Every structure is written in C-alpha cells, then in structure tokens.
Amino acid sequence: MVVKTEEVRDLADFRPEGYLVTSFFLNVDAAQFPSDDLLDTGFDSLIHDAESRRKDVEEGLSHEATESIRSDLAKIRELYESGIDRDDTKGVAIFSCAGMDFWQVIQMPTPVDNRVEFGPGPYLAPIAAFISHAKATAVLVTDKQHARIFTMKAGDVREWTDFEDYVPQRSEAGGWSQMRFQRRSDNWRKHHVDHAADLTLKLLQHYPFDWLIIGAEVQTAADLLESLHPYLKDRLIGQIDVRIDADAQEIVDKARELRERVESEHINTLMQQIQEYAGAGGRGTIGLDDTLRALNEQKVHILLLQSGYAAPGTECPNCGILLAGTNETCPACAAPARAVDNIVDAAIQKAIELGSTVEVATELEQLSPIENIGAILYY
C-alpha cells in the first residue's frame, strides 16, 4: 500500500490499552538479496530475534496481551510465506496488534534495516526517510484541447484521466468572420484549460497531494497558471517539457527528475531557514542538544535531520524527556533514566507522535552546517 502523511499520524496515535504493538521492518531489496534463499535467511533471523524478544516482553503481560503478540508474529510469517512482490518494493513495514484487530502493512521503494520492536504504540522512526521523500505529487499535462492527469506517491503511479474537449480550429478566412471565429476558438481553449484545472482541484479534494507539476506549451501554460485555484498554485513546484501524446513512463520519469531536484532544494531551503532563525535567537535550533530541548517542550514544527545520523543519549521512561549524553536520573522528574544507543530515533518517534513534520536529507553530509540535525519551531 501507499501510505499518506495523515495515515502515519493515525498510526502514531494508536495506543491500545493493555496490549503491545508489534512493529516489524524487513529489507527485501533485490540488489541486496538477489535470491529467495538469501531473503529467507534474513527473514528467519529476524523472526527468530522477534521470538526471543517476545519472551522477554511477555513477563507481566496478561494472557490476552501475550496471545496478541504471538498472533502478530504468526500473521507476519503468514504474510511473508504468501510472497512479497519485490518489483517496486525494497522495504516492508508491518504494524500489528492482533488483540485489537489492528494490522497495517507499508511497502516502500526504499530499503529499511531489519528490526522488530514491541511497544505501547507503532514504532515509526525507521520509515521517516520514506515519508519525507514520498510526497504525493500530481502531474497535469495539457495542450489546447487534450489533458492527462497523473499522481505519483512512492512506487504508486496512476493516470486518473485522459480527456479531450471540443475546440474549433482557427479559420483561414480573412475579415471580421475570421476574427469572430478566432475569439470563439480562444474561448473554447480557455474553457478546456479551466476544465483541466477544475478536475485537478477535484482530485486534490479526494486524493490529497503535496506537490503539483504541469506540462504545457508556453501560451497554454500561461492560461493554465491563471486558471489554477490558489490551493493548486501553493503546491506547484515546476514545469516539465513533454508532449501530450508522450508515453506515460516518459511523463512520469521527467516528473520524477523534477521532483528529485525540488526535494534537494527543499532540504537546503529548510536548512537555510533554520540557520537564519537560530541566528536570530528565535524559531530555529541547531544541533542535538537544542533540538531535543525543543522537542521536550513540544515546540518543533519541522524536524530536519541527516539520513543515518545517530548519537547515544538518555530517555526518561516516566515523563518521556529525551537528552543527549548520559544521565542516571531525569532532570525534569528525578525518576531513574535509561541509556539508549540512538537518541535520534527516539527524537524522530517523538516528533511524529507530536504531529511535527519530519524531513530527512539523503545527500551525503548535506546537513553538516547544522550539525546533522535542527528544527524550525512553532514560536
């Protein structure tokens, strides 16, 4: 399935009383596991680890909660044995709580590290990079009388409509008759562009997308920009040069190239904003210490971090405070604190639970100017 940002928020809000949620992440990248035997070995190792950890977490749980975890792992094994289509999938995330009839599978076009977690809610940090770079994008390609509308979300591509409006051709005759006919023809073309823009707006209402790309000739593009609703203009990230009768794959490939450039520019823009806001002593944080402090105060609007960035830290099981470095007691509530190998994952999880936007830079050392992590604050 293709997951939407709001669905991730719904996942983060799921907290079953009296039960634990199983979060299971499996790397199925064919480049790393070219044969089924290699993939089977990786899965068997992970499920073995899950069974071992299950025995540790079951202590103190009710019989129903224990059976729920065992059913989770049985369903995961059943899903795997039924076969996973790896053509467009490199990573699989599974969230399950059988006792509450909860089951969610996310197939990703990006690899994920093998991992299993049992906790009070879904563990979402490993899919942060996928969510960051899986913004739903609509593509509207039109000429004077034809239009096609596509959407792209992760590995899911759909062509929603391919339609033609009647537009009379310009007359070759001269005089007043030609002028009237041309005005009539121009009005029909404007009607067609308005129609295309209106259908794209309706698509936004029923299938929300984050970004919009258009493809049109110069004059048609000018008319189209004028016809776009403000909601669509706010999502417009650029234009591609492509014929209306081009193969769908060519249109999608050009749109993806544009989106990749825009994603990189988007990350750089966020980093510059963080530097500007932090320099003014206001709505920006640079580095792990200040960013964790802002997360603890629930001030983070956008969390920006470098892919693969990790650092040890401390988490308070009582109040949830996150700290860089080692602390035996929580400075907020004085309860015993616990060391964690990677406090950055905990920060991502907390940001998602708080409803913050998480953006991940995938270009090597792209965020070194802000020490690999920073945030834009609400206030």
Side-chain angles (χ1 to χ4, degrees), residues 119-273:
Y123 188 68
L124 301 169
I127 66 171
F130 164 65
I131 298 300
S132 173
H133 295 273
K135 295 178 177 64
T137 304
V139 184
L140 168 58
V141 181
T142 185
D143 64 4
K144 297 175 182 178
Q145 66 186 90
H146 299 83
R148 301 169 70 182
I149 302 175
F150 299 80
T151 56
M152 305 185 304
K153 181 68 185 282
D156 181 47
V157 177
R158 302 187 194 182
E159 182 167 5
W160 290 86
T161 185
D162 180 351
F163 67 91
E164 176 181 0
D165 288 313
Y166 170 72
V167 177
Q169 300 301 310
R170 287 179 178 269
S171 171
E172 297 297 330
W176 291 102
S177 175
Q178 179 190 19
M179 294 175 62
R180 288 195 301 270
F181 193 88
Q182 288 178 351
R183 283 197 299 270
R184 180 168 173 260
S185 178
D186 290 341
N187 288 336
W188 277 102
R189 279 193 293 273
K190 184 63 168 61
H191 169 76
H192 163 71
V193 170
D194 290 343
H195 183 198
D198 183 59
L199 285 180
T200 307
L201 178 61
K202 290 179 179 177
L203 177 63
L204 174 65
Q205 295 166 345
H206 296 284
Y207 188 88
F209 52 84
D210 303 288
W211 285 347
L212 172 65
I213 295 171
I214 63 172
E217 298 172 349
V218 175
Q219 183 56 51
T220 305
D223 292 339
L224 180 58
L225 289 173
E226 183 179 332
S227 297
L228 290 178
H229 188 279
Y231 290 165
L232 297 178
K233 289 181 179 178
D234 288 344
R235 289 165 170 77
L236 183 63
I237 63 170
Q239 183 173 343
I240 56 175
D241 182 15
V242 64
R243 291 174 55 90
I244 188 68
D245 58 354
D247 183 75
Q249 190 60 52
E250 179 185 350
I251 295 173
V252 170
D253 287 344
K254 288 190 174 184
R256 280 177 173 157
E257 290 175 6
L258 173 59
R259 189 172 66 177
E260 287 175 3
R261 292 197 302 271
V262 171
E263 282 179 342
S264 179
E265 294 167 0
H266 176 61
I267 295 294
N268 285 332
T269 298
L270 290 175
M271 180 173 64
Q272 292 167 5
Q273 290 177 339

Side-chain angles (χ1 to χ4, degrees), residues 39-40 90 136 143 157 164 176 183 199 285 291 308-309 339 356:
L39 188 62
D40 289 345
K90 296 182 179 181
D143 64 4
V157 177
E164 176 181 0
W176 291 102
R183 283 197 299 270
L199 285 180
T285 67
T291 302
Y309 175 54
S356 306

Side-chain angles (χ1 to χ4, degrees), residues 20 36 44-45 57 71 91 186 195 210 274 297 335 350 368:
L20 294 181
D36 290 341
D44 289 341
S45 175
V57 302
S71 296
D186 290 341
H195 183 198
D210 303 288
I274 286 173
E297 296 172 356
K350 191 179 188 74
S368 57

Side-chain angles (χ1 to χ4, degrees), residues 45-89:
S45 175
L46 183 58
I47 204 75
H48 176 75
D49 178 53
E51 291 287 359
S52 298
R53 297 187 61 192
R54 171 186 64 79
K55 296 174 183 177
D56 295 332
V57 302
E58 282 180 352
E59 294 184 13
L61 294 180
S62 67
H63 174 73
E64 291 79 7
T66 297
E67 289 301 310
S68 177
I69 295 176
R70 294 179 181 181
S71 296
D72 291 342
L73 297 182
K75 285 189 66 177
I76 290 169
R77 184 183 290 278
E78 182 181 344
L79 172 69
Y80 179 80
E81 291 176 349
S82 69
I84 296 174
D85 184 358
R86 296 201 281 162
D87 289 341
D88 297 313
T89 300

